[in-house]
Amino acid sequence: MKRAAATSLPELLVRVYRLLRQLGYQFLRPFDFLSRALNSKLGLPPIHLRRHVGPLSTFEASGAEFMVYLRLIGELNPDERVLDIGCGCGQMALHLVDYLDAGSYEGVDLHQPSIGWCEHHISTSHPRFAFHHLDVRSSAWNRRGRLAAEEYVFPFANEEFNLIIAKSVFTHMRPAAVDNYLKEIARVLSDGGRCLLTFFLLNEPQRVRERFGLNRLEFGFGDQNWRYVHQNSPESAVAYDEQYTLQLLHRNGLRLKQPIIHGRWSRNAEGLSFQDILLVEKQNRGA
Ligand SMILES: C[S@@+](CC[C@H](N)C(=O)[O-])C[C@H]1O[C@@H](n2cnc3c(N)ncnc32)[C@H](O)[C@@H]1O
């Protein structure tokens, strides 16, 4: 009952809650700085930026975890060109600077403070790492954005990237925006390129566990193609029907390169990561 009320809060209250939370983290910044200094972690972004991308407790571990997936699942080589969509405050970039020796990296995100921090703290010492602010609209993340995510054209040339990652980003986007980003991914991905995406996927085994109350997130609103946790803030957490997701890939010229690696968010005992992972490639590879 309590949970139902919390997921139906009016949008204004959700916004006030987020603002207060941000103010709280701003207040904690000097203490966070001291703690990072004492623990030799001044290379990490400040607390309010780390919190922007998820729980503070998993910031470092999650980057390390996905670094392993990029190498083992995405077969990333040190001389490749990487695009990180929704890069936040550089969680992956901070790992990739030690790996991409002859390669390069572009990170894009709609959160200007995160992009500003990355430019100042990563690009200055690693000129092959660049960051771009995409001023696209999102009701939960960038309400005043000037551009529509459903129509946005990434500022990159065709077939520019060998590896693209979108980690925990499509879990915060509406269908038309996901559709457009997949179209853009297909455009900027090289022949032979790989793309590692994470989703919350709705499928039959997940629905069975949901009926037993086992899912860690309750996607209570939406329709058969996409569902979300917060009635008045869909972009806070979004799940997609698995078949619908495969259709979106297909109609944008993409396909699975290997079977989906399902995650543990729905209490799948065999899950690997928290979210579901898709390794994707272009359909017309080598054509
Ligand atoms: C949960 S965070 C994940 C960040 C990063 N990928 C990571 O794993 O640490 C989601 C990120 O996506 C960004 N974001 C949300 N919607 C976006 C969009 N339409 N285009 C680009 N970035 C977006 C947010 O600003 C945020 O940094």
Side-chain angles (χ1 to χ4, degrees), residues 4-15:
T7 56
S8 299
L9 285 177
E11 202 195 344
L12 182 65
L13 270 188
V14 176
R15 289 217 305 270

Side-chain angles (χ1 to χ4, degrees), residues 27-93:
F27 171 75
L28 291 174
R29 280 181 72 175
F31 304 101
D32 174 61
F33 179 84
L34 193 62
S35 160
R36 284 186 290 125
L38 290 172
N39 290 291
S40 308
K41 291 190 175 184
L42 282 178
L44 289 181
I47 188 166
H48 65 295
L49 297 183
R50 300 201 308 281
R51 186 62 188 88
H52 172 79
V53 295
L56 291 170
S57 58
T58 58
F59 184 84
E60 288 169 85
S62 177
E65 177 193 357
F66 272 76
M67 193 59 220
V68 173
Y69 300 154
L70 287 184
R71 293 181 63 180
L72 293 185
I73 302 171
E75 297 178 9
L76 175 65
N77 291 312
D79 60 350
E80 291 193 302
R81 192 156 163 72
V82 174
L83 170 63
D84 186 358
I85 300 173
C87 62
C89 54
Q91 190 192 65
M92 290 317 306

Side-chain angles (χ1 to χ4, degrees), residues 52-54 59 62 84-89 91-92 108-111 114 134 136-138 141 149 166-169 171-173 177 181:
H52 172 79
V53 295
F59 184 84
S62 177
D84 186 358
I85 300 173
C87 62
C89 54
Q91 190 192 65
M92 290 317 306
V108 297
D109 201 288
L110 52 65
H111 192 234
S114 295
L134 314 184
V136 293
R137 259 184 312 283
S138 159
W141 301 82
K167 167 175 170 297
S168 192
V169 179
T171 48
H172 300 287
M173 287 172 59
Y181 276 35

Side-chain angles (χ1 to χ4, degrees), residues 3-287:
R3 185 186 257 200
T7 56
S8 299
L9 285 177
E11 202 195 344
L12 182 65
L13 270 188
V14 176
R15 289 217 305 270
V16 169
Y17 165 74
R18 284 206 187 107
L19 186 70
L20 291 176
R21 195 176 68 179
Q22 265 307 309
L23 287 175
Y25 285 114
Q26 292 290 351
F27 171 75
L28 291 174
R29 280 181 72 175
F31 304 101
D32 174 61
F33 179 84
L34 193 62
S35 160
R36 284 186 290 125
L38 290 172
N39 290 291
S40 308
K41 291 190 175 184
L42 282 178
L44 289 181
I47 188 166
H48 65 295
L49 297 183
R50 300 201 308 281
R51 186 62 188 88
H52 172 79
V53 295
L56 291 170
S57 58
T58 58
F59 184 84
E60 288 169 85
S62 177
E65 177 193 357
F66 272 76
M67 193 59 220
V68 173
Y69 300 154
L70 287 184
R71 293 181 63 180
L72 293 185
I73 302 171
E75 297 178 9
L76 175 65
N77 291 312
D79 60 350
E80 291 193 302
R81 192 156 163 72
V82 174
L83 170 63
D84 186 358
I85 300 173
C87 62
C89 54
Q91 190 192 65
M92 290 317 306
L94 289 167
H95 287 269
L96 286 163
V97 288
D98 291 329
Y99 184 69
L100 293 178
D101 50 15
S104 63
Y105 169 102
E106 308 274 343
V108 297
D109 201 288
L110 52 65
H111 192 234
Q112 172 60 54
S114 295
I115 292 298
W117 186 89
C118 290
E119 285 176 326
H120 193 68
H121 291 86
I122 302 179
S123 299
T124 43
S125 41
H126 302 279
R128 281 208 284 245
F129 279 61
F131 296 87
H132 308 264
H133 177 225
L134 314 184
D135 196 13
V136 293
R137 259 184 312 283
S138 159
S139 62
W141 301 82
N142 192 25
R143 264 182 354 105
R144 298 211 167 86
R146 282 182 307 112
L147 307 165
E150 308 82 71
E151 293 165 7
Y152 189 75
V153 178
F154 289 164
F156 305 114
N158 294 353
E159 309 208 345
E160 206 181 315
F161 297 100
N162 308 107
L163 191 131
I164 300 178
I165 176 167
K167 167 175 170 297
S168 192
V169 179
F170 292 159
T171 48
H172 300 287
M173 287 172 59
R174 295 172 190 246
V178 172
D179 193 23
N180 179 50
Y181 276 35
L182 290 175
K183 184 177 88 189
E184 282 298 288
I185 286 173
R187 180 179 69 77
V188 301
L189 190 63
S190 68
D191 194 20
R194 293 86 60 214
C195 177
L196 197 142
L197 309 171
T198 72
F199 278 89
F200 292 124
L201 292 176
L202 307 173
N203 54 36
E204 206 34 50
Q206 168 273 324
R207 276 186 271 269
V208 171
R209 291 191 293 275
E210 184 178 27
R211 283 196 283 277
F212 287 100
L214 290 176
N215 290 188
R216 281 170 208 265
L217 291 166
E218 209 172 283
F219 294 98
F221 306 95
D223 61 29
Q224 62 186 37
N225 291 337
W226 74 301
R227 303 195 61 77
Y228 40 93
V229 172
H230 296 278
Q231 185 174 23
N232 297 309
S233 181
E235 283 122 326
S236 294
V238 181
Y240 283 93
D241 178 75
E242 188 165 307
Q243 288 311 312
Y244 175 70
T245 306
L246 297 179
Q247 283 166 23
L248 284 181
L249 290 178
H250 183 77
R251 78 163 178 239
N252 285 297
L254 298 167
R255 68 180 176 204
L256 290 179
K257 184 169 161 60
Q258 62 171 58
I260 296 170
I261 304 172
H262 289 105
R264 294 189 310 272
W265 71 270
S266 65
R267 289 233 167 72
N268 168 10
E270 290 168 8
L272 179 67
S273 189
F274 184 66
Q275 297 186 6
D276 304 306
I277 297 177
L278 280 67
L279 187 70
V280 162
E281 64 181 359
K282 278 159 88 135
Q283 273 164 24
N284 58 355
R285 247 205 90 186

